[in-house]
Amino acid sequence: SVLNEHKFITPSSLHYVRNHGACPQLKWEEHTITVGGPLVKKPYEIGMDALAAMEPRELPVTLVCAGNRRKEQNMIRQTIGFNWGPSGVSTNVWKGVMLRDLLLKAGVSEKNMAGKHVEFIGIEDLPNKVGPGPFPDHQWGKLVKYGTSVPLARAMNPAYDIIIAYEANGEVLQPDHGFPVRLIIPGYIGGRMI
């Protein structure tokens, strides 16, 4: 079988797919990543060719969908989301740029990191299924962005290998897996890797 041939690495064509909305139609030549915010001294945008020209990091990471085995959970008590079985697990060799390198380029300090986070926001607009949000003065509209965050101390620590990936298993990312880039946070649940 294909899985026997590839052993521990899941071919990208068999990697589980779980998206929170339709895949955006993006072009490598036009896509940029914006690095900004209150902790950033030198905000900038970087295109895909410039990102891929930076020093890469390549490592195997197993992604596990947060809903993995939800089917069994639903037998005990009904939850929300897809009725997954045990198949929301895949391992790819991801290649990209260390998040730390992008933050250092932006002038983010490695001092006084306690209580600070790095926020990541996806490009796609999603239907708001949550409600008005926690801030009465700034209520969420009908469309929202999918996002996540990690502690700044974790993002700046090279031992955690957080990367902005542009390849999986030696190939450019497929649209269902985040083309042109995907955040990879080893040790975190798959739903955090926008």
Side-chain angles (χ1 to χ4, degrees):
S1 80
V2 175
L3 289 177
N4 260 346
E5 178 184 334
H6 291 271
K7 304 292 181 211
F8 295 108
I9 304 301
T10 309
S12 294
S13 62
L14 296 179
H15 195 291
Y16 79 89
V17 174
R18 171 62 174 106
N19 294 318
H20 292 90
C23 290
Q25 300 297 310
L26 303 175
K27 296 181 180 172
W28 179 277
E29 308 79 37
E30 297 173 3
H31 190 72
T32 60
I33 296 171
T34 302
V35 182
L39 302 177
V40 174
K41 293 178 184 164
K42 301 179 279 185
Y44 69 96
E45 282 191 1
I46 186 168
M48 292 306 303
D49 286 337
L51 184 75
M54 293 178 68
E55 182 178 344
R57 178 79 170 98
E58 194 168 8
L59 65 155
V61 177
T62 299
L63 303 189
V64 179
C65 180
N68 203 41
R69 303 200 70 157
R70 190 176 286 135
K71 181 178 180 182
E72 287 91 344
Q73 293 171 358
N74 286 337
M75 294 169 137
I76 297 168
R77 189 177 86 205
Q78 188 62 41
T79 64
I80 59 172
F82 290 120
N83 209 21
W84 280 94
S87 301
V89 179
S90 299
T91 302
N92 276 182
V93 176
W94 301 92
K95 181 178 180 180
V97 174
M98 295 283 289
L99 172 61
R100 168 190 167 81
D101 293 345
L102 296 173
L103 296 175
L104 288 172
K105 180 179 175 179
V108 174
S109 174
E110 293 184 82
K111 297 178 182 174
N112 303 318
M113 294 187 287
K116 297 174 182 169
H117 277 71
V118 180
E119 180 184 36
F120 308 92
I121 302 171
I123 195 166
E124 59 272 44
D125 289 316
L126 305 172
N128 181 352
K129 297 179 181 177
V130 178
F135 309 108
D137 295 341
H138 300 286
Q139 294 191 356
W140 297 340
K142 291 183 179 182
L143 296 177
V144 294
K145 300 285 188 186
Y146 188 74
T148 193
S149 70
V150 295
L152 178 59
R154 190 176 191 102
M156 296 299 277
N157 187 332
Y160 286 113
D161 288 321
I162 299 175
I163 64 171
I164 307 299
Y166 49 83
E167 284 186 11
N169 298 338
E171 300 172 344
V172 172
L173 295 179
Q174 296 175 2
D176 275 337
H177 302 300
F179 177 84
V181 290
R182 182 175 195 167
L183 174 67
I184 300 294
I185 314 169
Y188 275 49
I189 202 73
R192 304 287 296 278
M193 301 192 207
I194 63 171

